[in-house]
Amino acid sequence: MSESFDLIVIGAGPGGYVCAIRAAQLGMKVACVEKRETLGGTCLNIGCIPSKALLQSSENYDEAVHHFADHGIGVGQVSLDLARMQARKAEVVSANVKGVEFLFKKNKVTWLKGEAKFLAGNRIAVAGQEYEAKNIVIASGSESIPLRGVEVDEKRVVTSTGGLELDKVPGHLVVIGGGYIGLELGSVWRRLSAEVTVVEFLDRLVPGMDAEVGKTFERVLGKQGIKFRLKTKVTGATVADNGVTLTVEPAAGGAAEELRCDVVLLAIGRRAFTGGLNLDAAGVALDERGRVVVDNHFATNVPGVYAIGDVITGPMLAHKAEEEGVAVAEILAGQAGHVNYGAIPGVVYTWPEVAAVGETEEQLKASGRAYKVGKFPFTANGRARAMGSTDGFVKILSDKDTDRVLGAHIIGPDAGTMIAELVLAIEFGASAEDIARTSHAHPSLNEAVKEAALAVDGRPLHI
Ligand code: FAD
Ligand code: NAI
């Protein structure tokens, strides 16, 4: 006889594991299926966490090599032990994935180890055993998008997975795609002294981002030595023992040329992953891009089957997946689970960081909404000067009539932490004036947020 659960979650990434924990808190008997050896999904194993570990280590190295002297600190010849850096990254990942295992035990979530295959809408098989559930949540995540003519071997031509594992700093790294992964991992290897060239199809970096921020971002990363080939496409890669030769062409067409490098990082986006789930057995519908189709309550076309996270529409971000995990668990418990998609921040963890929430200026213009802008540069912020990190600015967009905050964009030191205040402002329906009248500790980077809010009304104090 097959064992039965109130809820089976397929996939233990940030969407799936959070959903499982929340459902268990709400009294359900829950199992979570994960085929990987460890819990935590893409994010903890090969995504957010290892990339941030390497970003931190490489930032420390870069500081020691280039900036300690500014502070009067001499450290002699700085050396790089990449093997130790990689081992530290593995330790950080291990602590995080074990943390999820602990949380599963604490909340009595059963981990079904293996690949889940649908047998019917409410039944799955895992490692030769059958299980049934009142409800099933698909949280199977995403995978990197391949590019015709560029075959990934995870050694010379790598996705982010191989790009996080290099055992030698490449002499020249070419990154295909100027998005989140390309700029974060490009920064890691640039700081460790690789020559880095980013080839981007469009005329700008991180295309969904506010254009003014995008321009500043390109300039600041350029100062760090990253080279950009915008409006350019890669049409082929030839791998040899001593490196890779890429064929690149102007995006609009024109003469092809060759670009030689040691390693290629392919980072042109990710796509929903449903391989191996045998969704046909349940009859779950996918859209034209292979994403599971859901309604506003995360329900698929099959009663009792739901989906969340990277496998459905929306930004492919861990915290978006987590919010959906909590919401669907609460909906299944009869509560009013809900996700405010207008208040999901996006952060690129380069240095300076780039963070955004809500609408961009381009989106507001396109929708014809009248808005006000307030901006404040970090060059005028005392704390940023003390840190020696004055590149960038805070920009707040608010409704012209009501002053309600519609969007906020930061490029600057710790932008990813600072954006939280503005996410909360949007969540609470705050006005720029509310932020301007809130006391901000001195000297803090957040004072730039207050000043940008004052600038919305044309009355910044420190510029
Ligand atoms: P995933 O985390 O992909 O988890 C899905 C899990 O399902 C996987 O473990 C997979 O093995 C399992 N699975 C799939 N099919 C089956 C099956 N049939 N049976 C059993 N198990 C199955 N986002 C951020 O917000 N911040 C960041 O800093 C960030 N950095 C990133 C860096 C990199 C290099 C990458 C690649 C991504 C990064 N992301 C980041 C994105 C983030 O990782 C994803 O948005 C997030 O992991 C999505 O969560 P998920 O639960 O939907 O899916
Ligand atoms: P991305 O969507 O962020 O960027 C892909 C870039 O590649 C775009 O700028 C696009 O215009 C470009 N591109 C597409 N096709 C191309 C081609 N043929 N040639 C050249 N350029 C091309 O995707 P990326 O960087 O692969 O990351 C995937 C997703 O993972 C992100 O969108 C994000 O959701 C998530 N992620 C989030 C992070 C964070 O939150 N800090 C960090 C890393 C990943």
Side-chain angles (χ1 to χ4, degrees), residues 179-181 183-184 206 209 217 346-355:
Y180 280 78
I181 291 177
L183 300 179
E184 287 188 359
V206 204
M209 173 183 296
F217 198 19
V347 179
V348 190
Y349 293 89
T350 45
W351 193 266
E353 292 179 348
V354 172

Side-chain angles (χ1 to χ4, degrees), residues 137-150:
V137 171
I138 302 168
S140 51
S142 62
E143 61 181 355
S144 67
I145 296 176
L147 179 62
R148 199 177 329 144
V150 181

Side-chain angles (χ1 to χ4, degrees), residues 52 147 176-182 184 199-202 206-207 232-234 267-270 316-317 347-349:
K52 268 77 248 177
L147 179 62
I176 310 178
Y180 280 78
I181 291 177
E184 287 188 359
V199 180
E200 164 61 48
F201 186 78
L202 297 176
V206 204
T232 304
K233 63 182 176 191
V234 173
I268 59 167
R270 294 179 63 82
M316 291 185 165
L317 297 172
V347 179
V348 190
Y349 293 89

Side-chain angles (χ1 to χ4, degrees), residues 62-106:
D62 183 75
E63 279 286 310
V65 173
H66 298 292
H67 303 294
F68 275 13
D70 298 343
H71 295 262
I73 305 169
V75 287
Q77 183 71 31
V78 179
S79 66
L80 173 66
D81 180 350
L82 183 56
R84 174 65 205 128
M85 200 178 275
Q86 290 287 22
R88 178 187 176 275
K89 180 201 73 186
E91 288 158 17
V92 172
V93 168
S94 171
N96 277 275
V97 298
K98 282 191 187 130
V100 178
E101 212 173 322
F102 163 78
L103 292 173
F104 271 15
K105 285 192 184 124
K106 181 180 163 201

